[in-house]
Structure formats: structure tokens, C-alpha cells
Amino acid sequence: MTALPTGLTAGTWNIDPSHTEASFTVRHAGISKVRGTVAVTSGVLTVGEDLESSSVAVTLDPATVNTGDANRDGHLKSNDFFEVETFGEWTFRSTAIRTSGSDHVIVGDLTIHGVTREVELETEFNGTAVDPFGNTRAGFEAKVTISRKDFGLTWNAALEAGGVLVADKVRIDLDVSAIKA
């Protein structure tokens, strides 16, 4: 039984989409990186009396992808990549939470593009605070690197000098604010 981090109390914590961000980074043309975001539309942290009895469930909307370039965003939403008309929701559901030094690892099933794979989110608890409206908030940061091919995202273009336009590895970073129900 692993104790809860100081300040985090048992109960339901609702993720606040307006103060939560899911971002990604992928190497482009082998020489630079493209960064973007996808909206977290809902989520619940169910905190038990210890970490092992706690869980996380989150939903994201791939139609909100934003890389700062409308043409690229349109391509990402198309059948070449996310197929948002067919796969309009991404989800994460935890299956285990464990301690790793002073941080935590949240293990769970990530579903993107209709494909589910187990991932391990390296997670940092940033504490709790009461906001000016009387809400008790908890903050978390998490990261994971995935293979986009593992999720059926295989579109690419060969480069004249060798290599490909879009790298396989994608880093996902989460900055989460949750409100105690």
C-alpha cells in the first residue's frame, strides 16, 4: 500500500479542460520538430485511500489538433493520419499506478486512431491549492513517448536526401489541473 502524496485526498477529482493541456512533439524532416496540442475534453481522477486503489480516465478530441499551421492541421485530421470523422475520440484509462522515486508511473491503455496500446506515463504531482473561487485543485505533469506506427499512423513521405518527413517517435506531454468534486 503506497500512501497518497501530501495534499492529495481521496475522492473524485474532475479534470478542468480549460486549465489542462496535452501537447506533442515529433521530428520533422529529420532536422526540426513540430509541436502541437490536442484538447483534453474530460477526465476523472478517482483517488482511493492509497495509490493502488486510484485510477484515471481521460478523453481527448483529435479534431482540435493545433500545430499553428491550418494546412498541416487539416492534413493531420484527414484519412492520412487521425481520420477524425471515423475516430473522433482518443482515450486513456489507467490500469495501475506505482511509485518511482519521488514521482509516479501511471500505467494504462491509450487508444488513438481506434488502436489501444499500453503506455506508462511518467507523472509528477505538483501539489494542491485552493483557487480564488474556493475550488481545491491538484496539479500534475506527465510524459510518455510513443511510436505512432503502433497506433496505425503510418503515412509518410520519403525525403530526397534520405530519411522520411515524419519521425515515428512522438513525445506527449500533459499538464493537468483537476478540481475536487
Side-chain angles (χ1 to χ4, degrees):
M1 181 166 100
T2 306
L4 297 174
T6 302
L8 188 62
T9 57
T12 301
W13 295 76
N14 295 310
I15 291 178
D16 177 3
S18 66
H19 292 95
T20 295
E21 180 178 82
S23 61
F24 62 89
T25 306
V26 63
R27 187 147 308 272
H28 178 261
I31 59 169
S32 63
K33 293 179 182 175
V34 169
R35 292 171 175 80
T37 60
V38 176
V40 174
T41 56
S42 65
V44 175
L45 286 71
T46 304
V47 179
E49 294 301 318
D50 54 42
L51 283 180
E52 291 82 2
S53 62
S54 301
S55 64
V56 179
V58 179
T59 302
L60 299 95
D61 180 359
T64 65
V65 66
N66 181 359
T67 64
D69 182 291
N71 288 330
R72 178 174 45 229
D73 296 347
H75 190 205
L76 288 171
K77 294 173 191 177
S78 77
N79 289 346
D80 283 344
F81 285 96
F82 301 151
E83 296 183 74
V84 298
E85 295 297 321
T86 303
F87 304 107
E89 183 176 276
W90 296 349
T91 60
F92 175 80
R93 305 276 182 262
S94 68
T95 56
I97 301 174
R98 66 178 188 267
T99 301
S100 176
S102 62
D103 294 329
H104 308 286
V105 176
I106 301 175
V107 181
D109 294 327
L110 176 63
T111 301
I112 296 176
H113 194 244
V115 177
T116 302
R117 296 282 186 253
E118 183 178 87
V119 298
E120 295 190 358
L121 299 170
E122 297 175 31
T123 306
E124 179 180 347
F125 174 63
N126 294 327
T128 58
V130 176
D131 69 21
F133 308 103
N135 298 307
T136 301
R137 292 180 173 270
F140 304 87
E141 292 178 37
K143 63 183 175 182
V144 65
T145 299
I146 63 170
S147 161
R148 66 186 185 88
K149 291 176 186 173
D150 285 350
F151 293 90
L153 301 171
T154 59
W155 183 91
N156 225 326
L159 299 175
E160 193 174 299
V164 292
L165 187 63
V166 184
D168 178 49
K169 297 296 180 194
V170 180
R171 178 175 163 143
I172 299 171
D173 291 284
L174 302 161
D175 192 359
V176 177
S177 179
I179 300 172
K180 181 82 182 261

